[in-house]
Amino acid sequence: MRRFVAEKSKQHCNIFFNKKTSSFISPSPFYQSSIRHLTSASSPDSMAEPSPSHVTIQTINPKVLKCEYAVRGEIVTLAQRLQEDLKLNPGSHPFDEILYCNIGNPQSLGQHPINFFREVLSLCDHPAILDKSETQGLFSADAIERAWKILDQIPGRATGAYSHSQGIKGLRDTIASGIEERDGFPADPNDIFLTDGASPAVHMMMQLLIRSESDGILCPIPQYPLYSASIALHGGTLVPYYLDEAAGWGMEVSELKKQLEDAKAKGVTVRSLVVINPGNPTGQVLAEENQREIVEFCKNEGLVLLADEVYQENVYVPEKKFHSFKKIARSMGYGEKDVSLISFQSVSKGYYGECGKRGGYMEVTGFSTEIREQLYKLASVNLCSNISGQILASLVMSPPKVGDESYESYSSERDGILQSLARRAKTLEDAFNSLEGVSCNKTEGAMYLFPRIDLPQKAIEAAEAANTAPDAFYCRRLLNATGIVVVPGSGFGQVPGTWHFRSTILPQEDKIPAIVTRVSDFHKKFMDEFRD
Amino acid sequence: MATGGLDYESLNENVKKVQYAVRGELYLRASELQKEGKKIIFTNVGNPHALGQKPLTFPRQVVALCQAPFLLDDPNVGLVFPADAIARAKHYLSLTSGGLGAYSDSRGLPGIRKEVADFIERRDGHPSDPELIFLTDGASKGVMQMLNTIIRGPHDGILVPVPQYPLYSAAISLFGGSLVPYYLEETENWGLDITNLRESVASARSKGVTVRAMVIINPGNPTGQCISEANLKEILHFCHKEKLVLLGDEVYQQNIYQDERPFISARKVLLDMGGRISKELQLVSFHTVSKGYWGECGQRGGYFEMTNIPPQSVDEIYKVASISLSPNVPGQIFMGLMMNPPKPGDISYDQFIRESKGILESLRKRAHIMTDGFNSCKNVVCNFTEGAMYSFPQIRLPPKAIEAAKKAGKVPDVFYCLRLLEATGISTVPGSGFGQKEGVFHLRTTILPAEEDMPAIMDSYKKFNDEFMAQYEDNRGYSRM
């Protein structure tokens, strides 16, 4: 038999019956936007005998159907429709513009990129201009110098070539140094995998960890729905652990233990623990003691710790500081042999907010050579992440230092953004807390507020009658009345019977007063309508 | 090592099954040797800029300006950038909602998807809907997304050409599906025989596999053949009859080195056919900025276009795309520029055309140099590279060489390629990485080394090969393993 076929048939000797998925978990949120496609192509679904092979809703991968991602879900589709309306019929709604507070996308709401970073990236995109003397009139000297340094680390200065599948070595060296400087413990460039944003790195880990539905991943509730979506997509089981809203969204190891035991009893093998610090959507920054407990827990239970640390530069309260889990583990005396830890970082957040660049990395520690080879292999199938994003990740982890020409302007840009974020976090937090039946925990970090609304029973009934989750009902009403887009708490998970929504703190400061007014007015009217 | 969560034994089996030879054993060995100071010529991957091909100037100017919009306000910007690049940068920035640093629509910026649709319409003579075009971080991501959408389990089979670009086999393994091979005929210039296809499908079905989709790579990788219009029609009819989704990997559509079979897209052939098939045949077409004469691999820019995919399925694909938020914006702009390059009359037009033509003409020359070079070697037979970027010569290894390989614990073509690497520094990919008929061996090299370096490279190869063949054919020779 031909070798290829022989190998494959050896691997696939279990023959499953062809189960057609005739129902799916929830209606697709995007359907409305695509209705017009029915006129351009007659759907094979309308043929007399739908084919078992064709790609129809009945025959696509059921894991695709199962996964959900509310951040760009139903409410956003509605918002886009309203935005179209406003364009075609100005004045058709009681607001002038849609304010997207659903997604951590700072530069789409007016935040400026860090100048120095963009100078360096621009020069690396078009290295030919480095030879021109006029270029020195357009770019700062240290940006030119940094661009040269980076280009010298790239074979042939070819920024358009595929790099090493883990990312350009010189850039990984820079990142490792940056990690060392941040933590006070060594970092190995060979542990770094540069990826198109942090999200693909998360997907890679889920791919590696999940063998079947019997494999579970402990995730915080509420969580950033990349995790629930990725676990569903890879066919695993999400094992929830609840953050304590009454205790500032704190994490208790006793809760972790309980959920782990419950999962085991149900026959689920828990492989890993996801911690988001600072938290999304909840914004809490973990206390060091808490972090030590978590590391100890993972070590004792043999769990891989997946530390989502993309908001590490977004801390707004003086009483808390970001400590990486790697630093915590090392400071406890735990090394490569003790704890398996993956740390995720991104260029999308912090004060740089470079979402559209898709830059990020994971630092992989405490794994055998064999596992790392598998990770490398997975990374190599996609060849490499985008080079510009790699360069940016290295800049983020080694920004201008005191004494550099650009340091003054860089640090004032950085501090300006971070201070403004802290102010906006406080203003909006106070505003939400002043609303009837609404309580909002302090946002210690990240970019979001996650207020709880005690919805009156009448509102809950109205939502049920409209076949919508109560928090989605509230959010839709809010959108229709004010043009403000937030994400219902059900998209992140919450204790059953409680309702939340997530709003970003990202609209520019001058828009904040109007937002506060509009939300307050809406909320008052809503409560007037539905108050028990 | 910490035990528990991530022991090798407890890894996802599908991950362990994945093979991707393009960056596998040979490449790793070549990298080791490079670290030791040996000069390596990397011809293992279609990575033009790594072998000295220069980026086109205009796109780099535009993206550099988009990257640093403060330049646009600088009175001196015109000293360094031409006016049309400045205008184009302003145009692309206006299409974004916050510049390069903001997530775009998960399908890509609408304005750029419109440029893609316009390109497709100009190319094919049929209108294209931007709503059915999704930009991706490279074409590979799009391929992986589609395969993940289609494959439900090991009973779902995907028809893949052999030899194939191993992204397909890797992705199918990763998603737990079944690869159903159909063999291209080397003696027929890597042509596709419908009988072969039918046999493959029948064989798969008899094993309980539901064949869901068919992959064609046109122009082929690693084989380089350009599929004729007649052949494409056959393929389309076949897929229509068997109710398969056709996945058209057309990333090398700009790389055509002969005039008898110009590139014609699967979509054009389908829509030209008209009638029921044109409204029913499900097709997904892939393209990229990594190949052609652009070679911008590092940007990770690509798209897929869906034809006759039901709206609900499109929605699900959109949903999955949204989990990764958006493709990288600079890569999207590269795609826009490729779809909508400088026109006659534009300041940068002449330079753009000169650079593009220069690259394409040189690639065509190199395709010939390499094919002829291989064919002049003992026991080597090589089909002409009609398109794409590779040469895939057949190496007729003598029985003694195969024995020596077995003794060394290596697959025969891996053994040959390792020896080639050690002797000459030329890093290739063994044919086993792409699939081949049992007992027939190949290697894949790219045609990308600089034109002036080609003669020396081919000489170096010939010297190695002819000595290797002499060593293993001649009874008097001894193995120097």
Side-chain angles (χ1 to χ4, degrees):
Chain A
M1 209 196 252
R2 304 253 156 88
R3 185 159 49 143
F4 240 67
V5 177
E7 270 177 23
K8 294 310 156 199
S9 49
K10 249 188 278 173
Q11 288 153 11
H12 300 121
C13 50
N14 293 325
I15 291 162
F16 286 70
F17 280 100
N18 195 348
K19 274 194 213 144
K20 284 187 214 162
T21 311
S22 57
S23 68
F24 45 100
I25 307 295
S26 59
S28 166
F30 300 102
Y31 190 37
Q32 290 174 82
S33 64
S34 317
I35 291 249
R36 65 182 123 139
H37 299 147
L38 282 168
T39 57
S40 59
S42 72
S43 159
D45 292 344
S46 64
M47 286 181 345
E49 276 173 36
S51 150
S53 337
H54 254 165
V55 175
T56 67
I57 208 69
Q58 286 82 19
T59 61
I60 67 175
N61 182 356
K63 294 179 218 157
V64 165
L65 292 176
K66 192 163 166 229
C67 75
E68 293 297 332
Y69 184 70
V71 174
R72 276 200 160 167
E74 191 180 304
I75 199 103
V76 178
T77 316
L78 175 58
Q80 284 163 345
R81 269 226 323 259
L82 293 175
Q83 195 166 34
E84 284 296 309
D85 273 358
L86 279 177
K87 247 195 258 164
L88 300 169
N89 306 308
S92 54
H93 292 282
F95 47 83
D96 295 326
E97 56 171 345
I98 300 289
L99 272 167
Y100 288 98
C101 299
N102 59 304
I103 183 174
N105 196 11
Q107 295 189 27
S108 76
L109 289 166
Q111 181 173 307
H112 289 272
I114 299 293
N115 221 58
F116 179 78
F117 294 165
R118 290 303 191 89
E119 284 187 281
V120 176
L121 289 171
S122 177
L123 290 164
C124 291
D125 271 337
H126 190 34
I129 61 176
L130 284 167
D131 298 322
K132 285 185 150 185
S133 58
E134 295 91 337
T135 300
Q136 287 165 27
L138 289 174
F139 294 87
S140 59
D142 55 349
I144 292 174
E145 197 186 318
R146 183 73 81 101
W148 274 123
K149 180 161 175 261
I150 290 168
L151 289 167
D152 283 341
Q153 294 170 329
I154 300 175
R157 301 205 183 122
T159 51
Y162 292 127
S163 71
H164 185 288
S165 294
Q166 282 177 242
I168 293 159
K169 176 67 170 42
L171 298 178
R172 285 185 279 131
D173 290 340
T174 304
I175 291 171
S177 299
I179 294 172
E180 252 178 77
E181 212 179 296
R182 180 194 68 195
D183 292 348
F185 290 96
D188 184 348
N190 293 321
D191 291 345
I192 312 251
F193 286 71
L194 282 154
T195 47
D196 288 304
S199 301
V202 170
H203 282 299
M204 240 197 271
M205 290 316 303
M206 293 306 174
Q207 192 115 56
L208 217 69
L209 287 165
I210 296 170
R211 293 164 296 185
S212 73
E213 254 184 340
S214 315
D215 283 331
I217 312 284
L218 271 162
C219 286
I221 300 294
Q223 47 98 46
Y224 172 53
L226 162 67
Y227 294 96
S228 45
S230 187
I231 292 165
L233 216 46
H234 294 103
T237 293
L238 189 151
V239 178
Y241 66 89
Y242 289 84
L243 301 177
D244 189 351
E245 185 159 17
W249 296 115
M251 253 180 95
E252 287 302 313
V253 174
S254 53
E255 165 68 4
L256 291 178
K257 283 206 174 91
K258 172 176 176 297
Q259 297 297 348
L260 176 62
E261 295 308 318
D262 282 355
K264 273 188 193 159
K266 291 197 199 94
V268 172
T269 310
V270 179
R271 311 291 309 273
S272 171
L273 170 69
V274 172
V275 181
I276 310 173
N277 184 44
N280 175 6
T282 44
Q284 83 287 14
V285 176
L286 293 172
E288 266 186 89
E289 183 49 42
N290 214 182
Q291 285 184 278
R292 283 195 282 269
E293 289 171 344
I294 292 163
V295 169
E296 197 68 51
F297 174 74
C298 288
K299 177 176 182 296
N300 295 339
E301 302 292 342
L303 301 178
V304 175
L305 178 53
L306 298 177
D308 179 338
E309 299 179 329
V310 303
Y311 295 100
Q312 54 186 265
E313 305 258 19
N314 300 101
V315 177
Y316 308 127
V317 295
E319 65 267 21
K320 288 280 179 71
K321 234 188 116 211
F322 169 76
H323 301 283
S324 77
F325 268 100
K326 176 140 169 283
K327 173 176 162 188
I328 298 288
R330 294 290 177 272
S331 63
M332 290 165 80
Y334 291 147
E336 292 273 337
K337 293 189 176 61
D338 305 301
V339 180
S340 300
L341 165 65
I342 317 261
S343 317
F344 301 97
Q345 165 63 316
S346 167
V347 305
S348 300
K349 311 301 176 191
Y351 54 88
Y352 20 90
E354 296 275 23
C355 302
K357 299 300 185 57
R358 311 321 276 118
Y361 70 79
M362 59 177 176
E363 183 190 11
V364 175
T365 57
F367 293 93
S368 67
T369 312
E370 290 168 310
I371 307 282
R372 300 159 66 80
E373 281 169 3
Q374 296 299 313
L375 269 174
Y376 171 82
K377 184 177 72 175
L378 269 186
S380 75
V381 177
N382 197 49
L383 286 149
C384 72
S385 64
N386 84 80
I387 307 300
S388 186
Q390 293 187 31
I391 294 172
L392 184 51
S394 79
L395 291 169
V396 159
M397 295 307 288
S398 75
K401 293 188 176 35
V402 176
D404 292 350
E405 178 188 326
S406 297
Y407 180 72
E408 297 284 322
S409 51
Y410 154 78
S411 59
S412 81
E413 285 170 58
R414 175 198 64 197
D415 295 343
I417 288 169
L418 288 173
Q419 284 158 12
S420 172
L421 283 168
R423 284 193 298 269
R424 285 178 269 169
K426 188 76 181 62
T427 306
L428 286 170
E429 177 201 319
D430 290 344
F432 287 133
N433 272 315
S434 72
L435 301 176
E436 179 190 343
V438 177
S439 77
C440 188
N441 278 341
K442 188 191 238 345
T443 281
E444 299 180 330
M447 286 178 175
Y448 314 97
L449 289 161
F450 199 62
R452 190 181 76 235
I453 332 166
D454 290 327
L455 287 170
Q457 189 56 30
K458 269 170 76 179
I460 295 176
E461 281 160 14
E464 266 154 29
N467 207 17
T468 315
D471 48 13
F473 179 77
Y474 179 90
C475 294
R476 220 190 278 176
R477 282 290 202 97
L478 173 67
L479 170 60
N480 280 316
T482 66
I484 296 167
V485 192
V486 298
V487 188
S490 38
F492 304 87
Q494 52 205 345
V495 169
T498 66
W499 313 109
H500 301 77
F501 63 82
R502 186 189 82 167
S503 169
T504 69
I505 57 172
L506 298 174
Q508 285 305 293
E509 261 182 292
D510 58 2
K511 291 214 149 72
I512 300 285
I515 291 175
V516 170
T517 312
R518 278 199 255 158
V519 172
S520 306
D521 287 347
F522 159 79
H523 186 82
K524 186 172 179 308
K525 290 201 185 78
F526 184 93
M527 292 307 270
D528 285 343
E529 187 181 338
F530 292 107
R531 199 177 288 113
D532 294 323
Chain B
M1 284 304 121
T3 58
L6 218 44
D7 295 331
Y8 184 77
E9 293 67 41
S10 60
L11 279 190
N12 180 353
E13 285 301 316
N14 288 344
V15 169
K16 289 191 238 177
K17 281 186 208 144
V18 169
Q19 297 295 331
Y20 185 70
V22 174
R23 282 208 161 163
E25 184 180 352
L26 250 300
Y27 172 71
L28 291 169
R29 181 73 188 124
S31 303
E32 267 170 39
L33 289 170
Q34 187 180 46
K35 275 197 205 120
E36 291 166 20
K38 190 175 172 72
K39 180 172 186 318
I40 304 293
I41 304 155
F42 286 98
T43 69
N44 59 305
V45 64
N47 197 10
H49 294 196
L51 288 157
Q53 182 176 311
K54 297 265 166 287
L56 299 170
T57 306
F58 184 73
R60 292 306 190 96
Q61 290 170 330
V62 173
V63 177
L65 286 165
C66 290
Q67 198 74 261
F70 60 81
L71 290 174
L72 296 167
D73 298 325
D74 194 309
N76 291 323
V77 66
L79 297 172
V80 182
F81 296 90
D84 56 351
I86 294 170
R88 196 70 94 90
K90 287 185 178 153
H91 161 74
Y92 283 118
L93 285 172
S94 75
L95 295 180
T96 67
S97 51
L100 299 193
Y103 293 127
S104 73
D105 184 303
S106 300
R107 298 163 291 186
L109 291 163
I112 295 185
R113 285 152 60 218
K114 175 90 181 37
E115 286 183 313
V116 175
D118 290 344
F119 161 82
I120 293 171
E121 186 169 343
R122 278 193 313 270
R123 182 194 68 191
D124 294 346
H126 295 279
S128 170
D129 184 355
E131 295 296 291
L132 296 173
I133 294 168
F134 284 27
L135 305 181
T136 51
D137 284 313
S140 299
K141 285 253 169 81
V143 167
M144 301 208 56
Q145 231 201 302
M146 287 315 305
L147 287 173
N148 188 44
T149 304
I150 295 169
I151 295 172
R152 294 163 299 187
H155 55 295
D156 278 337
I158 312 288
L159 270 166
V160 174
V162 178
Q164 48 100 42
Y165 173 52
L167 164 67
Y168 294 95
S169 45
I172 292 166
S173 281
L174 208 49
F175 301 131
S178 239
L179 189 149
V180 180
Y182 66 91
Y183 287 82
L184 302 176
E185 283 306 323
E186 187 161 13
T187 51
E188 302 295 322
N189 212 33
W190 297 115
L192 194 161
D193 189 341
I194 290 289
T195 324
N196 261 344
L197 265 183
R198 289 201 194 105
E199 277 171 14
S200 298
V201 173
S203 167
R205 283 179 180 156
S206 72
K207 297 191 198 86
V209 169
T210 307
V211 184
R212 305 286 309 281
M214 175 174 175
V215 174
I216 56 169
I217 310 174
N218 181 34
N221 176 5
T223 45
Q225 84 288 11
C226 296
I227 305 183
S228 69
E229 189 173 346
N231 223 182
L232 277 170
K233 280 196 184 136
E234 275 185 303
I235 292 164
L236 287 162
H237 278 300
F238 176 79
C239 287
H240 186 229
K241 178 166 175 293
E242 304 295 341
K243 310 265 195 321
L244 309 177
V245 182
L246 181 59
L247 304 176
D249 178 339
E250 299 177 331
V251 300
Y252 296 101
Q253 56 186 270
Q254 287 173 345
N255 301 101
I256 310 291
Y257 312 127
Q258 41 69 39
D259 305 314
E260 293 76 35
R261 267 174 305 284
F263 173 75
I264 178 165
S265 77
R267 190 166 187 272
K268 175 169 168 55
V269 177
L270 175 67
L271 295 179
D272 283 349
M273 281 158 86
R276 263 184 67 201
I277 186 177
S278 70
K279 294 196 182 66
E280 291 174 356
L281 187 294
Q282 293 188 330
L283 167 66
V284 185
S285 315
F286 301 90
H287 200 9
T288 180
V289 303
S290 301
K291 312 298 176 191
Y293 47 90
W294 285 59
E296 293 278 11
C297 301
Q299 311 300 345
R300 315 317 275 114
Y303 75 76
F304 62 87
E305 181 198 20
M306 295 174 280
T307 303
N308 296 331
I309 306 292
Q312 283 177 298
S313 306
V314 173
D315 277 347
E316 293 297 321
I317 294 164
Y318 184 1
K319 179 181 74 178
V320 174
S322 74
I323 300 169
S324 294
L325 288 151
S326 92
N328 89 77
V329 178
Q332 296 187 40
I333 295 176
F334 271 97
M335 180 56 80
L337 286 161
M338 190 172 88
M339 299 286 99
N340 188 10
K343 296 180 183 38
D346 290 353
I347 297 166
S348 301
Y349 177 74
D350 286 342
Q351 175 189 62
F352 183 82
I353 288 299
R354 197 182 46 231
E355 288 173 352
S356 311
K357 275 211 174 112
I359 292 168
L360 278 176
E361 280 163 7
S362 174
L363 283 168
R364 189 181 270 233
K365 279 201 206 108
R366 283 179 273 169
H368 281 284
I369 295 173
M370 240 184 186
T371 308
D372 295 343
F374 282 127
N375 278 318
S376 77
C377 297
K378 197 170 193 326
N379 292 341
V380 179
V381 172
C382 190
N383 281 340
F384 175 60
T385 293
E386 298 188 341
M389 284 180 177
Y390 311 96
S391 193
F392 199 63
Q394 188 189 129
I395 319 291
R396 293 181 174 160
L397 293 170
K400 280 198 188 314
I402 297 176
E403 253 180 68
K406 284 208 178 86
K407 280 217 188 84
K410 298 273 177 221
V411 171
D413 49 20
V414 174
F415 178 75
Y416 177 90
C417 291
L418 280 169
R419 291 276 299 269
L420 169 64
L421 172 64
E422 310 266 351
T424 65
I426 300 171
S427 174
T428 58
V429 188
S432 42
F434 304 88
Q436 50 205 353
K437 288 188 181 171
E438 190 76 44
V440 184
F441 305 106
H442 303 80
L443 61 80
R444 188 189 81 166
T445 174
T446 64
I447 60 171
L448 298 174
E451 211 176 311
E452 59 263 26
D453 295 338
M454 276 288 192
I457 291 173
M458 294 316 289
D459 281 344
S460 172
Y461 172 80
K462 187 176 165 69
K463 181 165 181 295
F464 160 79
N465 176 77
D466 292 359
E467 278 173 14
F468 181 98
M469 294 305 171
Q471 177 187 349
Y472 287 103
E473 276 190 332
D474 192 341
N475 287 336
R476 281 171 290 142
Y478 63 92
S479 170
R480 268 180 275 120
M481 270 188 338

